[in-house]
Amino acid sequence: QLIESGGGLVQSGGSLRLSCTFSGSNFETYFMAWFRQAPGKEREFVSAVMWTGGYKSYSDAVKGRFTISRDKRANAFYLEMNNLKPEDTAVYYCAAGPVGSVRSQHDYDNWGQGTQVTVSA
């Protein structure tokens, strides 16, 4: 089970930090990721990290502004979002899975419930 927290309302240029905690011990070979879905749009990849470390990936839309990290002792991973823009407004989902394609939502078999991020102009 994955549980997100940290969403909210922020002004353009502001920052938010999303957290995703999970239970269970079978995630050693998994990738942890963040996806987002804006109203009327398909869910899209944001960022991913290999749970064992050494690999991170970002979409072009967030590269340089967002940072993904993980804390193995806390069974948690995070998305630090800086310089937020109105186009970042979406429901953000954390996900975990033994993926083949890091950017494909279909390769993740564990999902959080989503947290709303709203960026005002």
Side-chain angles (χ1 to χ4, degrees):
Q1 181 181 9
L2 277 65
I3 301 175
E4 300 110 338
S5 62
L9 173 65
V10 65
Q11 289 186 333
S12 181
S15 299
L16 283 174
R17 186 189 194 216
L18 304 183
S19 301
C20 184
T21 58
F22 58 92
S23 57
S25 59
N26 58 339
F27 290 101
E28 279 300 313
T29 60
Y30 276 32
F31 284 79
M32 309 305 190
W34 292 95
F35 287 78
R36 66 186 183 185
Q37 188 167 18
K41 295 186 177 181
E42 294 187 355
R43 190 173 299 186
E44 65 173 2
F45 170 80
V46 175
S47 183
V49 61
M50 184 184 295
W51 186 243
T52 55
Y55 175 86
K56 295 181 181 180
S57 179
Y58 298 93
S59 69
D60 289 343
V62 308
K63 193 176 297 182
R65 300 187 296 122
F66 291 11
T67 302
I68 193 169
S69 61
R70 89 271 190 269
D71 184 341
K72 297 185 76 175
R73 290 177 300 176
N75 265 17
F77 60 105
Y78 311 96
L79 187 68
E80 184 75 32
M81 305 185 294
N82 296 315
N83 190 22
L84 282 160
K85 304 175 181 180
E87 52 263 44
D88 294 317
T89 295
V91 177
Y92 283 70
Y93 298 89
C94 63
V99 301
S101 174
V102 169
R103 300 187 176 216
S104 172
Q105 60 176 310
H106 304 294
D107 283 1
Y108 292 86
D109 54 10
N110 296 273
W111 289 86
Q113 80 285 357
T115 186
Q116 178 70 45
V117 171
T118 303
V119 184
S120 62

